[in-house]
Amino acid sequence: MNIAIMVCKKLTSECSGSWCFKAFAEKDKSFAIYKSEIETNLCGFFHCNGCGSNLDKELEYKVTQLKKVGVKTVHISKCIEVECDRYNEVRNFLLRNDFNIIDGTH
Ligand code: SF4
């Protein structure tokens, strides 16, 4: 299964993403659901383009790329849950684009 992680742009200036990648590599925390999967590939790590972004317009190409590599599920990172006033908007955007959503990463 191919998956991706969506993170908060505000946090990308200080966060390396290391804990998300560690949890994925160890199939820990929200990635524990893949323990029985033979192969789970992390095929994308992307952000929302910022608080003023128009998700439908600005993320269209990112969605195209994710679809091209067969991403079916997007994990919404903890930083979005903690930081974002647009959480439901972000969720609905992903749902509109036919992704399965998992809340959280590590
Ligand atoms: S819109 Fe939400 S996820 Fe994006 S930068 Fe702003 S707070 Fe972070």
Side-chain angles (χ1 to χ4, degrees):
M1 178 188 288
N2 291 351
I3 67 168
I5 296 173
M6 183 173 181
V7 297
C8 173
K9 188 181 181 191
K10 286 196 297 194
L11 274 290
T12 57
S13 60
E14 49 192 80
C15 182
S16 62
S18 298
W19 297 108
C20 287
F21 282 89
K22 183 175 188 296
F24 170 74
E26 295 174 355
K27 292 195 174 169
D28 192 16
K29 306 291 172 68
S30 72
F31 302 103
I33 57 174
Y34 305 118
K35 273 194 171 141
S36 59
E37 299 261 342
I38 295 167
E39 193 173 299
T40 306
N41 304 304
L42 181 56
C43 296
F45 189 86
F46 66 102
H47 60 63
C48 62
N49 282 15
C51 296
S53 66
N54 178 318
L55 298 173
D56 287 311
K57 284 187 184 159
E58 294 185 34
L59 273 65
E60 190 182 1
Y61 188 58
K62 291 185 186 183
V63 168
T64 301
Q65 289 174 310
L66 294 169
K67 296 277 184 195
K68 274 188 180 166
V69 294
V71 168
K72 300 268 190 280
T73 298
V74 175
H75 285 247
I76 303 177
S77 68
K78 188 76 180 169
C79 59
I80 295 184
E81 187 187 323
V82 171
E83 289 288 327
C84 188
D85 293 334
R86 302 167 72 190
Y87 196 81
N88 285 337
E89 196 185 327
V90 167
R91 269 186 129 259
N92 288 334
F93 162 76
L94 293 169
L95 288 172
R96 266 200 309 285
N97 283 284
D98 297 323
F99 292 112
N100 303 314
I101 293 171
I102 305 289
D103 293 295
T105 47
H106 61 85

